[in-house]
Amino acid sequence: MAEASTTTTAHEEHDDHDEDGYAGPATLITKDGEAEVEVRLAGHFEPIDGRYHWYGRVNANDKVTEAAEKHRRAVVLRTPHGEAEGALSDQDPWGRFRITGLGRPPFEVLETLPDED
């Protein structure tokens, strides 16, 4: 008898908040070059302004910290699902930078609700 899988996708983790998401490897691109990073992203459609807002954290990385210290806050984030322009902001106590963006995110977004059985 096969065991049931207990793993969840990033989308399932955020399902109760009506958010989409992605967790995994990404490439952060600045004017200074590229850095391979790990990210955890989420997002939602904001009906007030009619735009998709995506956000998350970029795991601690020396190249990202160096770029942020040089005020290279405008970035492009590339994942296996796409790329999008974003901006780095506050750094948390663990060295992770917040990243935010508007419009099409660098991850897949469900356009329809899944069927409920």
Side-chain angles (χ1 to χ4, degrees), residues 49-106:
D49 65 9
R51 300 177 81 180
Y52 191 86
H53 293 244
W54 61 270
Y55 41 83
R57 290 280 177 185
V58 178
N59 282 4
N61 181 295
D62 291 340
K63 287 184 179 181
V64 177
T65 300
E66 183 180 318
E69 288 172 351
K70 290 181 178 179
H71 304 287
R72 305 271 195 256
R73 302 285 177 140
V75 298
V76 172
L77 186 65
R78 181 183 304 137
T79 72
H81 304 285
E83 66 180 43
E85 293 181 7
L88 296 175
S89 61
D90 64 306
Q91 187 178 28
D92 69 16
W94 299 274
R96 302 175 304 174
F97 280 91
R98 182 157 174 80
I99 186 167
T100 59
L102 293 173
R104 180 178 296 274

Side-chain angles (χ1 to χ4, degrees), residues 22 24-28 35-39 41 58 77-80 106:
Y22 171 78
T27 303
L28 190 82
E36 297 303 315
V37 296
E38 289 288 322
V39 297
L41 306 170
V58 178
L77 186 65
R78 181 183 304 137
T79 72

Side-chain angles (χ1 to χ4, degrees), residues 2-7:
E3 287 186 26
S5 173
T6 59
T7 59

